[in-house]
Amino acid sequence: REARKQYLFPSVTEVIKVMASPGLEAWKQTMLVTSALTIPDDEKSDDLDALAKQIIAESRKPAMDAAKRGTEVHNGAEAILWDNKWDTEDAWLNEVYNWVQSNVLSVKWTEKSLVNSELGYAGKADALIDHQEHGLCLIDWKTSNLKRSGKKNEYKPRFYEKWLLQLAAYRECLDTNPHVVSVIINSNEPQIFEKVWSDEEVDEAYDIFVNLFHTWCWTKKYNPIPKSA
């Protein structure tokens, strides 16, 4: 209500939520069923409503733990970029450090709030760096639970389209036109994978994001840019 009065902008991630995530929903359902089947009988509530809430709470713990770990790695990565203190005992952060040493020539900024005043959205991007191979790059750290596959049973990165939508929306807020890069940190083993999205992919993704933005405005019955503006 207050946001509407002040014509506040939605975040990039909030806008992207209007796009269906069937894989995520399937995973949530699996967690619900797993929680229901694994809660010890002596810990189950006799009240069905209370039991349902207990099952839901238990099913959310893996996602909460993953989010906490993602924040730890993300904060560590930011500290490494600025040559600040970080946990040198963390094998994953050591892998981030090696990646930074091999690829990052300089850091322009980290954790910067970006605003698109023309369309009406905002968000916070991870970092803008000067990459040794690719030049100016807008990067996004992602801690991901990778799966093994193939004859060699190796971890295979999967770069999701929603990540590209997010980066494309952020790049549109900049005066410069950097490459956009997703950097995956494998949560199962200290490994890093990076993907430089092509300009064609980024342009197409931004067009999709604009459509999602208008869909968000329509479903919320709210336009952050007043018609008189």
Side-chain angles (χ1 to χ4, degrees), residues 133-171:
E133 181 180 355
H134 308 299
L136 191 65
C137 290
L138 180 66
I139 67 169
D140 183 46
W141 305 106
K142 293 296 184 187
T143 303
S144 185
N145 180 21
L146 302 184
K147 306 299 181 184
R148 293 183 183 272
S149 63
K151 293 181 179 179
K152 296 183 179 180
N153 196 33
E154 295 177 329
Y155 286 109
K156 300 294 184 181
R158 183 176 178 183
F159 296 88
Y160 294 93
E161 287 79 8
K162 284 191 175 184
W163 299 353
L164 174 57
L165 289 171
Q166 185 179 27
L167 280 165
Y170 289 155
R171 189 174 81 162

Side-chain angles (χ1 to χ4, degrees), residues 21 50 57 59 75 82 97 102 111 116 120 128 141-143 146 149 151 161 171 173 175 182 196 199 208 215:
S21 298
S59 72
N75 291 341
W82 289 119
Y97 175 82
S102 299
E111 288 295 303
N116 186 318
L128 185 69
W141 305 106
K142 293 296 184 187
T143 303
L146 302 184
S149 63
K151 293 181 179 179
E161 287 79 8
R171 189 174 81 162
C173 298
D175 294 330
S182 293
V196 181
D199 286 339
I208 298 299
T215 302

Side-chain angles (χ1 to χ4, degrees), residues 107-141:
V107 181
K108 306 304 181 184
W109 50 255
T110 61
E111 288 295 303
K112 185 173 184 178
S113 295
L114 303 175
V115 179
N116 186 318
S117 299
E118 183 177 348
L119 192 59
Y121 66 84
K124 185 173 287 187
D126 287 348
L128 185 69
I129 65 166
D130 187 11
H131 193 287
Q132 181 166 288
E133 181 180 355
H134 308 299
L136 191 65
C137 290
L138 180 66
I139 67 169
D140 183 46
W141 305 106

Side-chain angles (χ1 to χ4, degrees), residues 27 83 201:
W27 180 80
D83 198 23
E201 289 174 314

Side-chain angles (χ1 to χ4, degrees), residues 172-203:
E172 194 66 21
C173 298
L174 301 174
D175 294 330
T176 55
N177 196 37
H179 293 293
V180 297
V181 183
S182 293
V183 183
I184 289 180
I185 303 164
N186 183 4
S187 61
N188 296 307
E189 188 174 306
Q191 289 179 310
I192 286 185
F193 302 89
E194 69 173 64
K195 178 179 176 62
V196 181
W197 302 90
S198 71
D199 286 339
E200 291 77 13
E201 289 174 314
V202 177
D203 291 341

Side-chain angles (χ1 to χ4, degrees), residues 200-220:
E200 291 77 13
E201 289 174 314
V202 177
D203 291 341
E204 181 182 21
Y206 184 68
D207 288 340
I208 298 299
F209 177 82
V210 171
N211 289 329
L212 292 174
F213 175 82
H214 291 307
T215 302
W216 183 90
C217 291
W218 182 72
T219 57
K220 301 295 183 181

